[in-house]
Amino acid sequence: GGTALFGAVTALRLGAHVHVLTSAPAEDLAHVLPEGIETVNVPSPVWCTFTHEFVGDVREQYITAVAANLRAEHLPAAWRSLPLVHYGPLVQEIDHDLLTAFPVALRGASVQGWLREWHDNGHVQPLDRDKMLAWAPPVDISFLSEEDIGSQRAVIDFYRTQHRIVVLTDGNHGATVFEGHESTRIPAYPVEEVDANGAGDVFSAAFLVRYYQSKDAVDAARFAAVVASFHVEQLGTDGIPTLRQAEERLLEYDGLG
């Protein structure tokens, strides 16, 4: 799951050539990522695994297993010249040397995995405010969610000083794009939701693919909202659309206003 799966499949179906650096049990990985994705796997006996417990309507998350860390030394030399990179940490497993390993790339990051920590029993909680404001990954575009930051609104202002573009997602309420001194609210495309798991990763991957082509953040966010709307209509990765499907629905989205 996570960005490595949902983001990679999204980019592939939108026509990109996709490379994935990840860590998982080698015998299982081939059954998860589809053909057409070039993969480098850092062997691990376990997947990074979460469990969820609900207390009423409140979800409590626990980490039960952590795979290997990912470092710059794991990269094939040819990958260092890739033009577009999407970082998607789950549990702070991306070493900081990887953040400077792509000197010519447009770099985006789904930062959730850098904004949480966990206790000895695996219970996951957000970083406290001071830790959230102490560091941001050196990328061009960052993706955060309302769930990631909760009441810590200062995190948005901090990230805006660090990144060219900041995108704050809010589930079926849409997203807000912050670029320079401007902010633009992007509504979600209305659909009947079946499975929202991974929707943020689909959105961020689609945004990056589109922005790399158009250099227009609002256009990229509208496109990403449409791609994510397909995803939530089906289970797993089955609903992630092709570029043609997304473009056709984008015309409908443009007419909603």
Side-chain angles (χ1 to χ4, degrees):
T3 305
L5 174 61
F6 295 111
V9 173
T10 299
L12 182 70
R13 293 193 184 158
L14 294 177
H17 298 287
V18 181
H19 307 70
V20 171
L21 173 64
T22 190
S23 179
E27 63 274 14
D28 297 336
L29 190 61
H31 304 295
V32 176
L33 291 174
E35 291 185 8
I37 295 176
E38 186 174 345
T39 305
V40 169
N41 182 44
V42 180
S44 169
V46 296
W47 294 89
C48 184
T49 307
F50 293 85
T51 60
H52 301 97
E53 297 181 7
F54 287 87
V55 180
D57 293 332
V58 178
R59 182 184 72 168
E60 298 290 347
Q61 194 172 49
Y62 292 83
I63 295 174
T64 58
V66 176
N69 277 14
L70 305 177
R71 300 187 294 272
E73 67 188 61
H74 298 135
L75 281 178
W79 288 23
R80 293 174 180 263
S81 60
L82 291 173
L84 177 62
V85 175
H86 187 186
Y87 298 100
L90 290 171
V91 288
Q92 304 193 35
E93 76 278 20
I94 296 179
D95 280 10
H96 290 189
D97 63 357
L98 263 176
L99 297 172
T100 56
F102 301 95
V104 300
L106 173 71
R107 294 167 299 162
S110 298
V111 301
Q112 181 184 56
W114 282 311
L115 294 179
R116 56 191 176 192
E117 59 187 359
W118 53 96
H119 299 293
D120 290 342
N121 67 353
H123 185 222
V124 177
Q125 64 180 22
L127 295 178
D128 63 35
R129 182 179 185 276
D130 290 344
K131 289 180 179 178
M132 283 192 180
L133 299 178
W135 177 84
V139 296
D140 303 296
I141 303 170
S142 56
F143 301 90
L144 307 90
S145 73
E146 289 284 354
E147 185 179 22
D148 295 334
I149 64 171
S151 62
Q152 304 295 346
R153 312 310 291 180
V155 175
I156 301 171
D157 295 331
F158 172 59
Y159 271 66
R160 292 179 73 177
T161 69
Q162 303 297 309
H163 303 144
R164 183 191 314 172
I165 298 167
V166 176
V167 182
L168 180 68
T169 60
D170 190 17
N172 60 10
H173 300 294
T176 303
V177 177
F178 300 94
E179 184 175 21
H181 297 292
E182 302 294 325
S183 64
T184 305
R185 185 70 182 171
I186 306 297
Y189 184 93
V191 294
E192 184 175 343
E193 184 178 299
V194 174
D195 180 12
N197 185 38
D201 296 311
V202 171
F203 180 100
S204 55
F207 182 103
L208 288 171
V209 170
R210 184 72 162 200
Y211 183 81
Y212 177 76
Q213 298 165 340
S214 72
K215 301 300 187 287
D216 183 328
V218 172
D219 168 72
R222 292 171 67 83
F223 178 78
V226 164
V227 174
S229 74
F230 279 96
H231 171 67
V232 302
E233 290 180 301
Q234 297 188 49
L235 296 173
T237 60
D238 291 345
I240 298 174
T242 63
L243 178 60
R244 180 176 178 177
Q245 290 173 313
E247 292 284 10
E248 289 174 352
R249 184 172 285 187
L250 184 62
L251 294 176
E252 300 173 5
Y253 181 98
D254 290 339
L256 289 178

